[in-house]
Amino acid sequence: MQLYTKEETIGQINQLGQSRRPFLFIINYLQDASYVEEVERVDSSEILYDLNGFTNQSSLNKSVVPSALKESVYWNSFPESFESYLRSFDIVQRNIFAGNSFLTNLTCCTPIETNLSLKDIFLRSKAMYKLWVRDQFTVFSPEIFIRIQQGKICSYPMKGTLDASLPSDVRQLMDDPKEAAEHATIVDLIRNDLSIVADRVSVSRYRYIDELQTNRGTILQTSSEIQGILPDNYLENLGNIIFRLLPAGSITGAPKTKTMQIISEAETYERGFYTGVMGYFDGNNLDSAVMIRFVEQEGDRMYFKSGGGITCRSEAQSEYHEMKQKIYVPIY
């Protein structure tokens, strides 16, 4: 796929928005490489998407089950050692206790072995937002970035995860002081972000829980809803609006700029398109997602990228365990 610079991407999105031409966009974490294409020109042999109902999969293709999907799924992961994770964790916490960050999202790159191809995972996974890029990566994300409908912009930061099989699972998740503090920090950050581009910003729903089905059972995920009103000329400035909100606060932390520097020092790999955003504009409204739940291919190897928020209340052993628990695919 052809990639564009930040400036080129903003210009293209502004132009397509102003002319109300439907388009697909994919933006990487560092915002220095993006794909933007009018929907009618997206090559389905190279890119497949199913973004909350907007899709280039034909009904025939959806009904075709690849042979690999008929077999039992083999899935094995090889997480980094606790000692390696602890090095990154310590860098993050030193900065938090020094006052450089209130919350930092620390992520890892985990080698995996599976009998599924990237395309198999895309076709088989269940998620509100899915994307497959040939020979590069696939995404099956539950996390909304922003939605824009008739001049109203909404964001739904997702922070707080727990195994639903645990006793008193909902109460445990809602009462956990670390999870509550992490979620409050991100909601405040996103509210401030939306205030840059919108008026009358408010939190319309706070800490509601969704259930997600995975190949390791059901998990609980906590989100909030924040909304605001865009200026009348927002369609001709869609590109500017999107990039002023990037990177997504839920996968960086607060404050953003300093926290991204901490992430660069602490993490041992390049995120690439992982934790970037993907979205669809239908000519009137825009829907988009944060690219989490991410499998990348490099040569004949596959890697699962995952992570979680670190605060002053975090403990290395529990965060390491949670990171490993997130290496799953929501498949049927």
Side-chain angles (χ1 to χ4, degrees), residues 85-273:
Y85 179 83
L86 183 60
R87 174 200 164 273
S88 299
F89 179 89
D90 284 345
I91 291 172
V92 169
Q93 277 224 320
R94 281 201 305 270
N95 277 278
I96 289 174
F97 285 115
N100 297 324
S101 177
F102 304 108
L103 168 68
T104 299
N105 196 76
L106 177 63
T107 73
C108 304
C109 183
T110 302
I112 60 171
E113 290 180 354
T114 180
N115 59 337
L116 303 179
S117 68
L118 291 179
K119 192 171 185 179
D120 291 337
I121 295 171
F122 169 84
L123 293 172
R124 186 161 183 165
S125 61
K126 287 185 176 182
M128 188 182 300
Y129 301 93
K130 302 199 301 179
L131 175 69
W132 167 78
V133 179
R134 184 185 183 92
D135 298 328
Q136 295 188 46
F137 61 84
T138 189
V139 189
F140 31 93
S141 176
E143 182 171 357
I144 304 163
F145 174 49
I146 57 169
R147 286 176 174 166
I148 298 176
Q149 294 181 315
Q150 298 179 338
K152 183 171 78 171
I153 184 169
C154 295
S155 185
Y156 304 80
M158 181 177 285
K159 275 294 174 188
T161 305
L162 189 69
D163 183 347
S165 66
L166 297 174
S168 305
D169 43 21
V170 174
R171 195 71 270 150
Q172 182 178 341
L173 180 58
M174 297 303 285
D175 290 346
D176 188 309
K178 183 262 181 183
E179 297 286 2
E182 182 180 338
H183 196 91
T185 300
I186 287 301
V187 167
D188 190 53
L189 173 63
I190 301 302
R191 182 172 55 188
N192 289 338
D193 279 355
L194 289 192
S195 296
I196 297 172
V197 300
D199 296 320
R200 287 181 277 165
V201 174
S202 63
V203 179
S204 47
R205 297 173 69 194
Y206 187 68
R207 290 194 82 200
Y208 61 88
I209 291 180
D210 292 318
E211 287 190 357
L212 301 178
Q213 302 300 321
T214 80
N215 62 323
R216 291 185 174 179
T218 303
I219 64 169
L220 304 177
Q221 188 79 64
T222 313
S223 301
S224 288
E225 178 184 57
I226 307 162
Q227 61 182 18
I229 304 300
L230 293 169
D232 292 339
N233 64 341
Y234 71 92
L235 283 178
E236 61 193 66
N237 292 296
L238 274 182
N240 300 86
I241 291 170
I242 291 169
F243 275 88
R244 292 190 77 181
L245 299 174
L246 291 175
S250 62
I251 49 76
T252 50
K256 274 190 188 179
T257 301
K258 181 59 181 178
T259 300
M260 288 182 70
Q261 295 172 7
I262 298 168
I263 287 170
S264 178
E265 180 186 358
E267 293 183 351
T268 58
Y269 74 104
E270 297 296 327
R271 289 192 181 188
F273 278 91

Side-chain angles (χ1 to χ4, degrees), residues 1 10 62 139 159 284:
M1 60 182 183
I10 290 173
K62 282 187 173 183
V139 189
K159 275 294 174 188
N284 294 293

